[in-house]
Amino acid sequence: MTDTVHTGWVVEWHGEQGWGVLDCRTLADQAWAHYSSLDVESSGNGPGGFRRLTPAAEVEFTAERAEQDGYHWRAVWVKEKPPKGSK
């Protein structure tokens, strides 16, 4: 399943802990995401290249079936899409 790129959104992001939750219409359950899975060129990157996601932002991601903190899916690669209308 990791080859499938899902389009979804960030449900929540815990910046101090470096993880969050993603959702999409193509997976039955939400996916857990760790900062290490974030694309380094993602639009949500902060100062100094600190990787983070913006809650409610649109994302593309791949996921694998794995148990992680109560979630049944774990994101393998995540990229935050730029907000609509931005270049």
Side-chain angles (χ1 to χ4, degrees), residues 8-21:
W9 57 93
V10 181
V11 176
E12 59 188 87
W13 186 256
H14 304 276
E16 292 82 29
Q17 297 151 353
W19 70 277
V21 180

Side-chain angles (χ1 to χ4, degrees), residues 19-68:
W19 70 277
V21 180
L22 311 177
D23 205 351
C24 67
R25 291 180 173 80
T26 52
L27 289 177
D29 299 305
Q30 295 177 330
W32 183 89
H34 188 259
Y35 79 92
S36 63
S37 66
L38 304 185
D39 187 290
V40 295
E41 302 202 10
S42 186
S43 65
N45 283 334
F50 182 75
R51 294 185 245 178
R52 66 173 185 229
L53 292 175
T54 307
E58 188 175 9
V59 291
E60 292 179 330
F61 67 97
T62 59
E64 63 185 0
R65 188 94 168 133
E67 297 298 317
Q68 181 72 50

Side-chain angles (χ1 to χ4, degrees), residues 55-86:
E58 188 175 9
V59 291
E60 292 179 330
F61 67 97
T62 59
E64 63 185 0
R65 188 94 168 133
E67 297 298 317
Q68 181 72 50
D69 294 339
Y71 295 92
H72 302 295
W73 293 95
R74 179 174 51 222
V76 176
W77 170 84
V78 184
K79 183 168 184 170
E80 186 171 315
K81 296 174 82 172
K84 293 190 185 330
S86 68

